[in-house]
């Protein structure tokens, strides 16, 4: 990187994925699709090349400039992107890189939706980055900086599409691929062991089964997010009240694209969901909304962060958001002094004591916390997109990305 480029992008302005060692290590274990976004001449290409160099052993940089795609107010329905998309698809399908970087203006919503669908299909978490250069929205300066020689009027026409921040369906911590695979195997092992416990078989009616019937919990929880994650704030692309304010919080902006280690203390099962309870650190609580627990249980005074969870699976027709609600029911019982009935211990990939509460509520208190690496980002795709995922001895599980 040239000395001038270093001045344009001082370390204090660089995203964590370039300057934070823990984040760099986490990214290397993840599948990340990085979209550079901004006006022509704002510094996207410089930033893209720096990211490519940082992850040179596992990255692939694709640029719209390579295909002579001139930035303009346009719809994605045109044929300009066909060859670029072919290269992207090949890169995803052949697993040519864990870090895929796309350099373009990304001002068109239809175009972005197509890219988000691709990321979802191939199980890549998305990070959207914009240059922090002082002139990034100064059309007068950009007129002389952009190599397309766009006029001042053309730049001013593009600017409104890029002034407003791109808000996701939700923010959260997205697990690194290696740790995600381990957690899926762990949850499958847990469900198989739990389903074989005598104490569990005696309480099948809570799941809608007769005492002597056989219940395959892996099939019962046939849906799981295509990328395991712990949601912080549901935004609905900015439609939810307080979303824009949340995104503008300094702690949230500093956390974006940063790597975090999440600590899992328990695995929980109800007739509707199976999930992992996450214990947030003081640093992680900085990005946790003040009203996260009150949103679903307004009459209860529950500890901040007690809704933090990772959905591992849900029953048919059950949305992922139900997992957090179920977890808070456990927390309420524990607050009232009811720790459940201890019915034994599990060994294997997971070890710990199994407690039964009521109405088909089971909790495995782990003897040792599970640590998983994650990246703080947003999910920008459409809700309810279903894709297949390998990961079970039983074959293919249907996936559902909701929250």
């Amino acid at each position: 990187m040239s000395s001038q480029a270093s001045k344009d992008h001082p370390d204090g302005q660089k995203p964590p994925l370039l300057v934070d060692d823990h984040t760099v290590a986490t990214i290397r274990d993840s599948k990340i699709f990085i979209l550079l976004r901004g006006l022509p001449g704002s510094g996207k290409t410089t930033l893209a090349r720096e990211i490519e160099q940082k992850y040179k052993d596992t990255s692939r940089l694709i640029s719209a400039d390579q295909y002579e795609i001139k930035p303009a107010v346009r719809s994605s329905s045109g044929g300009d992107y066909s060859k670029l998309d072919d290269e992207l698809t090949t890169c995803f399908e052949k697993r040519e890189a864990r870090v895929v970087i796309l350099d373009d203006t990304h001002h068109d919503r239809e175009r972005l939706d197509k890219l988000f669908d691709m990321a979802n299909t191939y199980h890549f978490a998305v990070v959207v980055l914009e240059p922090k250069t002082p002139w990034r929205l100064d059309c007068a300066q950009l007129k002389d900086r952009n190599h397309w020689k766009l006029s001042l009027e053309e730049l001013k026409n593009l600017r409104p599409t890029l002034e407003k921040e791109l808000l996701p369906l939700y923010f959260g911590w997205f697990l690194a691929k290696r740790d995600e695979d381990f957690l899926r195997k762990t949850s499958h092992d847990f469900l198989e062991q739990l389903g074989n416990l005598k104490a569990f078989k005696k309480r099948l009616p809570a799941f809608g089964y007769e005492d002597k019937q056989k219940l395959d919990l892996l099939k019962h929880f046939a849906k799981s997010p295509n990328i395991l994650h712990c949601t912080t704030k549901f935004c609905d692309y900015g439609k939810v009240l307080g979303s824009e304010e949340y995104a503008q919080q300094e702690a949230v902006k500093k956390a974006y694209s940063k790597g975090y280690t999440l600590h899992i203390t328990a695995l929980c099962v109800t007739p509707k969901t199976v999930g992992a309870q996450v214990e947030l650190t003081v640093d992680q609580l900085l990005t946790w909304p003040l009203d996260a627990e009150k949103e679903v249980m307004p009459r209860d005074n529950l500890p901040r962060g007690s809704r933090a969870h990772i959905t591992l699976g849900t029953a048919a027709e059950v949305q992922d958001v139900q997992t957090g609600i179920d977890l808070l029911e456990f927390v309420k019982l524990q607050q009232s002094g009811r720790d459940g009935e201890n019915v034994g211990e599990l060994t294997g990939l997971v070890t710990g004591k199994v407690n039964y509460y009521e109405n088909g509520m089971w909790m495995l208190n782990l003897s040792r916390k599970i640590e998983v690496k994650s990246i703080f980002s947003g999910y920008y795709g459409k809700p309810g997109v279903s894709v297949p995922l390998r990961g079970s001895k039983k074959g293919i599980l249907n996936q559902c990305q909701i929250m």
Side-chain angles (χ1 to χ4, degrees), residues 43-54:
K44 300 185 304 300
T45 300
T46 299
L47 183 56
R49 288 173 179 168
E50 190 172 1
I51 296 171
E52 179 192 29
Q53 183 62 25
K54 188 73 174 182

Side-chain angles (χ1 to χ4, degrees), residues 211-277:
D211 288 340
K212 294 183 179 180
Q213 284 184 291
K214 182 175 176 58
L215 171 58
D216 186 332
L217 286 174
L218 289 176
K219 290 182 178 179
H220 181 77
F221 297 117
K223 297 192 304 176
S224 176
N226 70 332
I227 300 176
L228 297 185
H229 61 277
C230 176
T231 300
T232 57
K233 176 68 175 177
F234 182 72
C235 300
D236 197 13
Y237 318 107
K239 297 175 186 175
V240 173
L241 187 66
S243 298
E244 293 187 18
E245 292 80 0
Y246 174 82
Q248 290 302 316
Q249 290 178 18
E250 194 62 29
V252 174
K253 290 194 286 187
K254 286 182 177 180
Y256 194 83
S257 87
K258 185 176 180 180
Y260 290 85
T261 297
L262 299 180
H263 298 86
I264 297 170
T265 58
L267 301 180
C268 307
V269 166
T270 72
K272 294 180 179 180
T273 65
V274 54
Q277 184 178 36

Side-chain angles (χ1 to χ4, degrees), residues 354-365:
V354 180
N355 284 4
Y356 178 72
Y357 287 77
E358 59 184 34
N359 302 321
M361 297 171 64
W362 300 83
M363 175 177 281
L364 172 66
N365 294 292

Side-chain angles (χ1 to χ4, degrees), residues 71-348:
V73 177
R74 61 178 182 272
S75 169
S76 63
S77 58
D80 289 342
Y81 282 98
S82 57
K83 291 183 179 179
L84 185 153
D85 287 347
D86 286 344
E87 183 179 355
L88 260 181
T89 300
T90 299
C91 183
F92 287 139
E93 287 183 346
K94 294 187 175 181
R95 303 178 184 178
E96 295 177 350
R98 281 184 171 270
V99 181
V100 179
I101 309 154
L102 184 56
D103 180 14
D104 196 6
T105 52
H106 292 127
H107 61 277
D108 186 89
R109 184 69 215 196
E110 287 184 48
R111 173 66 187 160
L112 284 169
D113 285 343
K114 182 174 182 178
L115 294 172
F116 297 148
D117 284 347
M118 291 177 70
N120 194 60
T121 297
Y122 296 101
H123 303 175
F124 273 72
V126 173
V127 171
V128 179
L129 295 179
E130 300 182 15
K132 301 299 181 183
T133 51
W135 61 86
R136 61 188 180 276
L137 292 173
D138 187 337
C139 293
Q141 288 197 56
L142 292 172
K143 182 175 74 70
D144 298 324
R145 288 178 175 273
N146 83 90
H147 73 88
W148 287 105
K149 306 300 181 184
L150 296 183
S151 67
L152 183 61
E153 183 179 354
E154 287 175 310
L155 289 165
K156 285 183 176 180
N157 287 336
L158 277 174
R159 177 172 167 165
T161 64
L162 291 160
E163 284 181 308
K164 194 171 183 180
E165 186 169 356
L166 186 67
L167 293 179
L169 183 63
Y170 55 82
F171 285 98
W173 293 282
F174 295 80
L175 269 59
K177 187 65 172 66
R178 185 175 299 178
D179 290 350
E180 178 188 47
D181 289 344
F182 172 76
L183 187 56
R184 287 191 191 278
K185 290 179 181 178
T186 298
S187 68
H188 295 157
D189 180 68
F190 164 55
L191 290 175
E192 287 185 333
Q193 289 197 65
L194 179 64
N196 288 324
L197 282 180
K198 289 183 179 180
F200 181 81
K201 292 178 180 179
K202 291 179 180 178
R203 295 173 172 85
L204 285 180
F207 284 77
Y209 288 77
E210 299 296 332
D211 288 340
K212 294 183 179 180
Q213 284 184 291
K214 182 175 176 58
L215 171 58
D216 186 332
L217 286 174
L218 289 176
K219 290 182 178 179
H220 181 77
F221 297 117
K223 297 192 304 176
S224 176
N226 70 332
I227 300 176
L228 297 185
H229 61 277
C230 176
T231 300
T232 57
K233 176 68 175 177
F234 182 72
C235 300
D236 197 13
Y237 318 107
K239 297 175 186 175
V240 173
L241 187 66
S243 298
E244 293 187 18
E245 292 80 0
Y246 174 82
Q248 290 302 316
Q249 290 178 18
E250 194 62 29
V252 174
K253 290 194 286 187
K254 286 182 177 180
Y256 194 83
S257 87
K258 185 176 180 180
Y260 290 85
T261 297
L262 299 180
H263 298 86
I264 297 170
T265 58
L267 301 180
C268 307
V269 166
T270 72
K272 294 180 179 180
T273 65
V274 54
Q277 184 178 36
V278 176
E279 181 181 76
L280 299 180
T281 64
V282 173
D283 188 32
Q284 290 160 2
L285 280 170
L286 294 176
T287 60
W288 192 255
L290 292 173
D291 60 349
E293 285 72 35
K294 290 288 185 182
E295 279 182 341
V296 295
M297 293 189 176
R299 297 181 180 180
D300 297 290
N301 187 23
L302 300 171
R304 187 179 176 205
S306 56
R307 190 182 171 188
H309 68 279
I310 298 170
T311 295
L312 300 173
T314 64
E317 308 302 325
V318 176
Q319 294 188 352
D320 293 10
V321 67
Q322 182 65 43
T323 313
I325 299 171
D326 288 354
L327 174 58
L328 291 183
E329 292 293 348
F330 282 99
V331 174
K332 284 174 61 177
L333 290 171
Q334 291 168 346
Q335 274 194 326
S336 66
R338 300 168 64 185
D339 293 323
E341 173 192 353
N342 181 253
V343 296
E345 295 191 18
L346 297 187
T347 59

